């Protein structure tokens, strides 16, 4: 067989040539700006020429500090295909973490949204002075950034302008194993760690997204990409969608429910991808406002456990399935997706869909005990998931870690695996509640509590207990005007979970703290508890 290199350049060419009239929509607040794949590819070529002109060479890191939009997609295509490495910076990192990752990745160029200049400036002089060029996308006041960097940024349109040419761009030949992109973990459980994706891993992961047993992207689809492009490559949708000719709808900073509802109504996406908190917000908005999801065939959700109650509510209200998937920055991210196995009667489908997911073709997962023994795939034996495959990272960028051994990655997620490859995550190992020598799953408790009609959000942490070592504390956000107590919730919960799981501590809060990628921030909850402010 031919040894054809698996590169993003092929992905770029395929979308450009075969699906040149597929489109990218960028929401502008009250309507969408649109561009064909053919135009976007031409502009990606122009961007690559412009970046070369700035001295960007092989393996240099070009960072983005952007919302999801057309120019971000152009960078997704241009930077890897010119042989450089696209580093998608998380715009919601704390300033110190942002400074750390910019320096750790040694970003040479940062392309940023003008509206985010003040946020970027918070990375500080030390980190930003090492960046050679700043490239501004869109109009806006960048003075906060200019003050810190001591210069004005270049303009994206100037860099591309004049460089847009008709005809084929001659992209360089690349080694499929060279780095194409990098992304740092969001630091939910510590300092952000860098993951470098190769062309090969991205190519294979994109094909996996097209498989009918995963998201099954095709030219007939239009995907609303709510998950940020800095969060594990927007779950692979930009590359997968481009390869399949799927229209992409980019919401920019308009992530609030009223905007999303308009995007659904006016742009008729067939797919949407976002974390459960986004879908939860839209659900509550839909209680008083019209949300038209008649164009949607499925929504995907992941990043944290998807409450069953949320999936049921979507079926009931919008007639739309939410499909749960599991993955990590380290796994590109798609690794498991929850479709019921063959022969499942309709009334049992939700039992399967509420599980974390079924391992996708191409990756292997196992469950390992604390002493390293591989456990049975029986749906019962509880241990840490380990994973391997061609789109699973083999190391962290320049950061030694004991999470890699014998070709496997230790995920830090604890759960069970059954003989048919269905994973059920009980918890992150750091969040599991150890009570009287047994483990309580904070995720299960949260999901069950969120099934209560008056509860909007629930986050559960373990708090120290003299007798049991730890006991669960539930922080709950109630629906406006609801009048329920902790005791009411506990008695509602009693028939639904094991008796010894019942939280005896209930705290009502206005909102739960969230991490930079929209997960319940348990580090902050624990800190608040330790300080006595819960
Ligand atoms: P970070 O590790 O910085 O939080 P990631 O997005 O890479 O950022 O997080 C991956 C983690 O998210 C997984 O290890 C798992 O704990 C959690 N996760 C992702 N999808 C699911 C899911 N469907 N159910 C439960 N947990 C999930």
């Amino acid at each position: 067989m031919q040894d054809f290199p698996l590169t993003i350049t092929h992905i770029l060419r395929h979308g450009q040539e075969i699906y040149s009239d597929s489109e990218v929509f960028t929401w502008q607040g009250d309507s969408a700006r649109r561009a064909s794949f053919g135009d976007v590819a031409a502009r990606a070529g122009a961007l690559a020429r412009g970046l070369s002109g700035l001295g960007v060479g092989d393996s240099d890191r070009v960072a983005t500090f952007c919302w999801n939009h057309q120019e971000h997609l152009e960078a997704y295509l241009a930077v890897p295909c010119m042989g450089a490495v696209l580093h998608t910076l998380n715009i919601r990192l704390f300033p110190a973490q942002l400074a750390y990752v910019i320096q750790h990745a040694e970003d040479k160029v940062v392309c940023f949204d003008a509206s985010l200049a003040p946020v970027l400036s918070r990375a500080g002089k030390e980190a930003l002075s090492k960046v050679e060029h700043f490239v501004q996308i869109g109009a806006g006041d960048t003075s906060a950034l200019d003050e810190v960097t001591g210069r004005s940024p270049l303009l994206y349109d100037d860099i591309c302008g004049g460089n847009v040419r008709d005809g084929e761009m001659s992209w360089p030949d690349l080694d499929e194993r060279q780095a194409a992109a990098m992304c740092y973990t969001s630091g939910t459980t510590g300092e952000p760690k860098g993951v470098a994706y190769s062309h090969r891993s991205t190519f294979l992961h994109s094909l996996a997204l097209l498989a009918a047993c995963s998201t099954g992207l095709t030219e007939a689809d239009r995907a609303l990409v709510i998950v940020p492009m800095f969060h594990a490559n927007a779950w692979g949708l930009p590359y997968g969608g481009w390869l399949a000719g799927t229209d992409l709808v980019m919401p920019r900073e308009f992530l609030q429910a009223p905007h999303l509802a308009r995007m659904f109504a006016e742009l008729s996406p067939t797919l949407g991808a976002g974390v459960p908190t986004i879908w939860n917000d839209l659900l509550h908005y839909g209680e008083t406002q019209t949300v038209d999801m008649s164009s949607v065939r499925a929504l995907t959700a992941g990043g944290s456990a998807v409450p069953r109650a949320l999936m049921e509510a979507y079926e009931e209200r919008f007639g739309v399935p939410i499909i749960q998937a599991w993955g990590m920055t380290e796994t590109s991210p798609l690794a498991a997706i929850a479709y019921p196995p063959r022969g499942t009667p309709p009334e049992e489908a939700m039992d399967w869909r509420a599980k974390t997911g079924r391992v996708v073709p191409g990756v292997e997962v196992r469950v390992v005990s604390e002493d390293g023994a591989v456990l049975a795939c029986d749906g019962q034996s509880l241990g840490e998931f380990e994973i391997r495959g061609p789109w699973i990272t083999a190391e962290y960028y320049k950061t030694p870690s004991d999470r890699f051994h014998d070709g496997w990655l230790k995920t830090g997620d604890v759960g069970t695996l059954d003989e048919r490859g269905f994973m059920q995550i009980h918890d992150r190992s750091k969040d599991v509640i150890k009570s009287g020598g047994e483990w309580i799953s904070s995720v299960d408790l949260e999901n069950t509590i969120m099934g209560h009609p008056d509860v909007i959000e629930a986050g559960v942490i373990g708090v120290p207990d003299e007798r049991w070592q730890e006991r669960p504390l539930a922080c709950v956000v109630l629906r406006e005007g609801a009048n329920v107590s902790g005791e009411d919730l506990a008695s509602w919960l009693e028939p639904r979970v094991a008796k010894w799981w019942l939280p005896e501590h209930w705290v009502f809060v206005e909102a739960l703290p969230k991490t930079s990628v929209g997960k319940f921030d348990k580090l902050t909850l624990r800190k608040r508890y330790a300080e006595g402010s819960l």
Side-chain angles (χ1 to χ4, degrees):
M1 290 295 116
Q2 296 180 358
D3 190 11
F4 181 82
L6 312 181
T7 61
I8 295 176
T9 321
H10 170 78
I11 296 180
L12 166 58
R13 283 204 191 102
H14 193 76
Q16 175 179 16
E17 289 164 15
I18 310 294
Y19 303 117
S20 64
D21 55 358
S22 291
E23 288 186 287
V24 180
F25 295 78
T26 302
W27 190 252
Q28 306 283 78
D30 50 18
S31 64
R33 167 162 71 97
R34 46 205 293 187
S36 69
F37 276 22
D39 287 344
V40 170
R43 284 174 54 95
L47 176 60
R49 289 188 194 98
L51 289 172
S52 294
L54 294 181
V56 172
D58 216 31
S59 299
D60 281 340
R61 265 74 69 202
V62 175
T64 52
F65 195 76
C66 298
W67 297 106
N68 292 7
H69 50 53
Q70 180 189 329
E71 288 74 13
H72 206 169
L73 182 66
E74 289 163 6
Y76 255 61
L77 298 168
V79 175
C81 295
M82 66 185 287
V85 181
L86 175 82
H87 174 200
T88 49
L89 286 163
N90 180 337
I91 62 173
R92 300 204 189 97
L93 285 182
F94 295 120
Q97 290 181 322
L98 184 59
Y100 169 80
V101 298
I102 289 174
Q103 294 178 88
H104 191 262
E106 298 173 87
D107 294 329
K108 188 165 180 170
V109 176
V110 178
C111 304
F112 68 97
D113 284 351
S115 61
L116 292 170
V119 187
L120 179 58
S121 73
R122 285 184 217 134
K125 214 179 204 117
E126 202 188 327
L128 297 178
S129 63
K130 297 186 180 120
V131 174
E132 286 179 25
H133 300 285
F134 290 89
V135 178
Q136 171 188 342
I137 299 172
D141 174 11
T142 63
S143 53
L145 180 66
D146 303 352
E147 226 165 84
V148 179
T149 61
R151 58 202 140 135
S152 311
L154 303 164
L155 299 180
Y156 187 89
D157 288 337
D158 287 351
I159 299 223
C160 300
N163 280 319
V164 181
R165 286 180 216 148
D166 290 333
E168 183 132 339
M169 161 86 185
S170 62
W171 296 101
D173 290 334
L174 300 173
D175 176 350
E176 65 176 25
R177 287 188 161 76
Q178 82 183 57
M182 64 191 304
C183 185
Y184 281 70
T185 61
S186 59
T188 305
T189 54
E191 273 298 334
K193 291 179 285 291
V195 174
Y197 307 101
S198 65
H199 281 264
R200 176 187 152 83
S201 70
T202 307
F203 187 104
L204 294 169
H205 181 259
S206 303
L207 285 181
L209 272 185
L210 268 52
C213 60
S214 69
T215 48
L217 297 174
T218 73
E219 192 187 9
D221 281 314
R222 177 171 291 177
L224 173 55
V225 187
I226 303 174
V227 52
M229 291 169 83
F230 55 76
H231 184 201
N233 300 311
W235 302 346
L237 282 167
Y239 292 129
W242 186 272
L243 185 60
T246 301
D247 286 344
L248 298 167
V249 179
M250 304 300 201
R252 247 178 64 183
E253 67 270 43
F254 304 106
L255 303 173
Q256 307 75 11
H259 281 291
L260 294 177
R262 281 194 63 187
M263 287 176 233
F264 275 107
E266 293 171 32
L267 299 175
S268 306
T270 60
L271 292 169
V275 291
T277 41
I278 287 275
W279 300 132
N280 205 20
D281 287 351
L282 196 58
L283 177 73
H284 291 294
Y285 176 77
E287 276 164 15
T288 52
Q289 308 291 326
T290 310
V291 178
D292 174 5
M293 290 214 180
S294 52
S295 58
V296 177
R297 72 170 169 90
L299 303 173
T300 51
S304 46
V306 185
R308 182 182 176 126
L310 181 68
M311 292 195 254
E312 286 172 343
Y314 264 70
E315 297 273 343
E316 208 169 289
R317 175 129 12 113
F318 307 123
V320 164
I322 294 187
I323 311 292
Q324 167 152 223
W326 171 77
M328 313 166 69
T329 303
E330 292 86 336
T331 68
S332 290
L334 181 69
I337 188 158
Y339 290 113
R342 73 152 55 143
T344 303
E347 65 279 11
E348 286 170 26
M350 193 54 90
D351 297 342
W352 293 98
R353 290 181 39 204
K355 288 183 192 289
T356 307
R358 193 177 200 183
V359 181
V360 297
V363 299
E364 296 181 6
V365 172
R366 65 184 189 182
V367 182
V368 173
S369 69
E370 264 174 311
D371 58 11
V374 178
L375 300 174
C377 299
D378 55 7
Q380 309 266 328
S381 306
L382 197 64
E384 181 174 358
F385 288 112
E386 294 191 346
I387 183 164
R388 65 179 182 189
W391 57 83
I392 311 303
T393 195
E395 60 187 325
Y396 289 122
Y397 180 63
K398 292 196 302 188
T399 307
S401 165
D402 57 8
R403 291 180 76 175
F404 305 95
H405 71 102
D406 308 318
W408 292 86
L409 160 70
K410 293 159 76 135
T411 64
D413 285 329
V414 171
T416 61
L417 183 68
D418 77 8
E419 64 279 12
R420 288 190 288 190
F422 280 93
M423 301 169 61
Q424 177 66 64
I425 291 189
H426 283 235
D427 237 320
R428 278 196 154 180
S429 48
K430 292 194 169 94
D431 294 334
V432 92
I433 301 162
K434 301 189 179 83
S435 173
E438 298 284 346
W439 285 359
I440 298 177
S441 158
S442 65
V443 173
D444 270 3
L445 272 179
E446 287 163 4
N447 285 348
T448 315
I449 297 168
M450 283 190 279
H452 187 285
D454 286 324
V455 173
I456 290 185
E457 286 177 346
V460 176
I461 54 168
V463 298
D465 185 274
E466 268 186 24
R467 179 151 180 230
W468 301 106
Q469 184 188 355
E470 276 185 341
R471 289 299 300 155
L473 174 146
C475 297
V476 176
V477 180
L478 288 179
R479 183 183 301 280
E480 224 179 273
N483 185 19
V484 281
S485 65
E487 275 139 43
D488 297 336
L489 290 178
S491 43
W492 178 87
L493 199 59
E494 206 173 334
R496 293 173 167 86
V497 299
K499 195 152 196 246
W500 56 277
W501 281 34
L502 277 183
E504 45 275 278
H505 312 286
W506 295 85
V507 183
F508 294 94
V509 289
E510 296 230 324
L512 284 181
K514 309 262 166 49
T515 73
S516 64
V517 289
K519 308 182 191 207
F520 296 155
D521 182 354
K522 300 202 185 173
L523 276 181
T524 300
L525 282 180
R526 284 192 204 103
K527 205 165 129 233
R528 284 194 197 157
Y529 179 82
E531 291 165 356
S533 61
L534 260 193

Coordinates of all heavy atoms in Angstrom, one line a residue, residues 215-249:
T215 N -20.2 10.6 15.7 CA -21.1 11.7 15.4 C -21.7 11.6 14.0 O -22.6 12.3 13.6 CB -20.5 13.1 15.6 OG1 -19.2 13.1 15.0 CG2 -20.3 13.4 17.1
G216 N -21.0 10.8 13.1 CA -21.6 10.6 11.8 C -21.8 11.8 11.0 O -22.8 12.0 10.3
L217 N -20.8 12.7 11.0 CA -20.9 14.0 10.3 C -21.0 13.8 8.8 O -20.2 12.9 8.3 CB -19.6 14.8 10.6 CG -19.4 15.3 12.0 CD1 -18.0 16.0 12.0 CD2 -20.4 16.2 12.4
T218 N -21.8 14.5 8.1 CA -21.9 14.4 6.6 C -22.1 15.8 6.1 O -22.3 16.8 6.8 CB -23.0 13.5 6.1 OG1 -24.3 14.2 6.3 CG2 -23.1 12.2 6.8
E219 N -22.1 15.9 4.8 CA -22.4 17.1 4.1 C -23.8 17.6 4.3 O -24.1 18.8 4.2 CB -22.2 16.9 2.6 CG -22.1 18.2 1.8 CD -22.1 17.9 0.3 OE1 -22.3 16.7 -0.1 OE2 -21.9 18.8 -0.5
A220 N -24.7 16.7 4.7 CA -26.1 17.1 5.0 C -26.2 17.9 6.4 O -27.3 18.4 6.7 CB -27.0 15.9 5.0
D221 N -25.1 17.8 7.1 CA -25.2 18.4 8.5 C -24.8 19.9 8.5 O -24.0 20.3 7.7 CB -24.3 17.6 9.4 CG -25.0 16.3 9.9 OD1 -26.1 16.4 10.3 OD2 -24.3 15.3 9.9
R222 N -25.3 20.5 9.5 CA -24.8 21.9 9.9 C -24.6 21.8 11.4 O -25.6 21.6 12.1 CB -25.8 22.9 9.5 CG -25.5 24.3 9.9 CD -26.4 25.3 9.3 NE -26.3 25.4 7.8 CZ -27.0 26.2 7.0 NH1 -28.0 26.9 7.6 NH2 -26.8 26.2 5.7
A223 N -23.4 22.1 11.9 CA -23.1 21.9 13.3 C -22.9 23.2 14.0 O -22.1 24.1 13.5 CB -21.8 21.0 13.4
L224 N -23.6 23.4 15.1 CA -23.4 24.6 15.9 C -22.4 24.2 16.9 O -22.6 23.4 17.8 CB -24.8 24.9 16.6 CG -24.7 26.0 17.6 CD1 -24.2 27.3 17.1 CD2 -26.1 26.3 18.2
V225 N -21.2 24.9 16.8 CA -20.0 24.5 17.6 C -20.0 25.5 18.8 O -19.3 26.5 18.8 CB -18.7 24.6 16.7 CG1 -17.5 24.1 17.5 CG2 -18.9 23.9 15.4
I226 N -20.7 25.1 19.9 CA -20.7 25.9 21.1 C -19.4 25.6 21.9 O -18.9 26.6 22.5 CB -22.0 25.6 21.9 CG1 -23.2 25.9 21.0 CG2 -22.0 26.5 23.1 CD1 -24.5 25.5 21.7
V227 N -19.0 24.4 22.0 CA -17.8 24.1 22.7 C -16.7 24.9 22.1 O -16.5 25.0 20.9 CB -17.5 22.6 22.7 CG1 -17.5 22.0 21.3 CG2 -16.2 22.3 23.4
P228 N -15.9 25.6 23.0 CA -14.9 26.5 22.5 C -13.8 25.8 21.7 O -13.4 24.7 22.0 CB -14.3 27.1 23.8 CG -15.3 26.9 24.8 CD -16.0 25.7 24.5
M229 N -13.2 26.5 20.7 CA -12.2 26.0 19.9 C -10.9 25.8 20.7 O -9.9 25.2 20.3 CB -12.0 26.8 18.7 CG -13.2 26.7 17.7 SD -13.1 27.9 16.4 CE -12.1 27.1 15.2
F230 N -10.9 26.4 21.9 CA -9.7 26.2 22.8 C -9.9 25.0 23.8 O -9.1 24.7 24.6 CB -9.3 27.5 23.5 CG -10.4 28.1 24.4 CD1 -10.8 27.5 25.6 CD2 -11.1 29.2 23.9 CE1 -11.9 28.1 26.3 CE2 -12.1 29.7 24.6 CZ -12.5 29.2 25.8
H231 N -11.1 24.4 23.7 CA -11.4 23.3 24.6 C -11.3 22.0 23.9 O -12.2 21.6 23.2 CB -12.7 23.5 25.3 CG -13.1 22.4 26.3 ND1 -14.3 22.1 26.7 CD2 -12.3 21.6 27.0 CE1 -14.3 21.1 27.6 NE2 -13.1 20.8 27.8
A232 N -10.1 21.4 23.9 CA -9.9 20.1 23.2 C -10.3 20.2 21.8 O -11.1 19.4 21.3 CB -10.5 18.9 24.0
N233 N -9.8 21.2 21.0 CA -10.1 21.3 19.6 C -11.6 21.3 19.3 O -12.1 20.8 18.2 CB -9.5 20.1 18.8 CG -8.1 20.1 19.0 OD1 -7.4 21.1 18.8 ND2 -7.5 18.9 19.4
A234 N -12.4 22.0 20.2 CA -13.9 22.0 20.0 C -14.4 20.6 19.6 O -15.2 20.4 18.7 CB -14.3 23.0 18.9
W235 N -13.8 19.6 20.4 CA -14.1 18.2 20.3 C -14.0 17.6 18.9 O -14.6 16.7 18.5 CB -15.6 18.0 20.8 CG -15.7 18.4 22.2 CD1 -14.8 18.7 23.1 CD2 -17.0 18.6 23.0 NE1 -15.3 19.1 24.3 CE2 -16.6 19.0 24.3 CE3 -18.3 18.4 22.6 CZ2 -17.6 19.2 25.2 CZ3 -19.3 18.6 23.6 CH2 -18.9 19.1 24.9
G236 N -13.1 18.3 18.1 CA -12.7 17.7 16.8 C -13.7 18.2 15.7 O -13.5 17.9 14.5
L237 N -14.7 19.0 16.0 CA -15.7 19.4 15.0 C -15.1 20.3 13.9 O -15.5 20.1 12.7 CB -16.9 20.1 15.6 CG -17.9 19.2 16.3 CD1 -18.8 20.0 17.2 CD2 -18.6 18.4 15.3
P238 N -14.2 21.2 14.2 CA -13.7 22.0 13.0 C -13.0 21.1 12.0 O -13.3 21.2 10.8 CB -12.7 22.9 13.7 CG -13.2 23.1 15.1 CD -13.7 21.7 15.4
Y239 N -12.1 20.2 12.4 CA -11.5 19.3 11.4 C -12.4 18.3 10.8 O -12.5 18.0 9.6 CB -10.2 18.7 12.0 CG -9.1 19.6 12.3 CD1 -8.5 19.7 13.5 CD2 -8.7 20.5 11.3 CE1 -7.5 20.5 13.8 CE2 -7.6 21.5 11.6 CZ -7.0 21.4 12.9 OH -6.0 22.3 13.1
G240 N -13.2 17.6 11.7 CA -14.1 16.6 11.3 C -15.2 17.2 10.3 O -15.5 16.6 9.3
G241 N -15.7 18.3 10.7 CA -16.7 19.0 9.9 C -16.2 19.4 8.6 O -16.8 19.3 7.5
W242 N -15.0 19.9 8.6 CA -14.3 20.4 7.3 C -14.1 19.2 6.4 O -14.4 19.2 5.2 CB -13.0 21.1 7.6 CG -12.3 21.7 6.4 CD1 -11.5 21.0 5.6 CD2 -12.5 23.0 5.9 NE1 -11.1 21.9 4.6 CE2 -11.7 23.1 4.8 CE3 -13.2 24.1 6.3 CZ2 -11.6 24.3 4.0 CZ3 -13.2 25.3 5.6 CH2 -12.4 25.4 4.4
L243 N -13.7 18.1 6.9 CA -13.4 16.9 6.1 C -14.7 16.3 5.6 O -14.7 15.7 4.5 CB -12.7 15.8 7.0 CG -12.2 14.5 6.4 CD1 -11.2 14.8 5.3 CD2 -11.6 13.6 7.5
A244 N -15.8 16.5 6.3 CA -17.1 15.9 5.8 C -17.9 16.9 5.0 O -19.0 16.5 4.5 CB -17.9 15.4 7.0
G245 N -17.5 18.1 4.9 CA -18.3 19.1 4.2 C -19.5 19.6 5.0 O -20.5 20.1 4.5
T246 N -19.4 19.4 6.4 CA -20.5 19.9 7.3 C -20.4 21.4 7.4 O -19.3 21.9 7.8 CB -20.3 19.2 8.6 OG1 -20.3 17.8 8.5 CG2 -21.3 19.7 9.6
D247 N -21.5 22.1 7.3 CA -21.5 23.5 7.6 C -21.2 23.7 9.0 O -21.6 23.0 9.9 CB -22.9 24.1 7.3 CG -23.3 24.3 5.9 OD1 -22.4 24.2 5.0 OD2 -24.5 24.5 5.6
L248 N -20.4 24.8 9.3 CA -20.1 25.1 10.7 C -20.7 26.4 11.2 O -20.5 27.4 10.5 CB -18.6 25.1 10.9 CG -17.9 23.8 10.6 CD1 -16.4 24.0 10.5 CD2 -18.2 22.7 11.6
V249 N -21.4 26.4 12.3 CA -22.0 27.6 12.8 C -21.1 28.0 14.1 O -21.0 27.2 15.0 CB -23.4 27.5 13.2 CG1 -24.0 28.8 13.8 CG2 -24.3 27.1 12.0

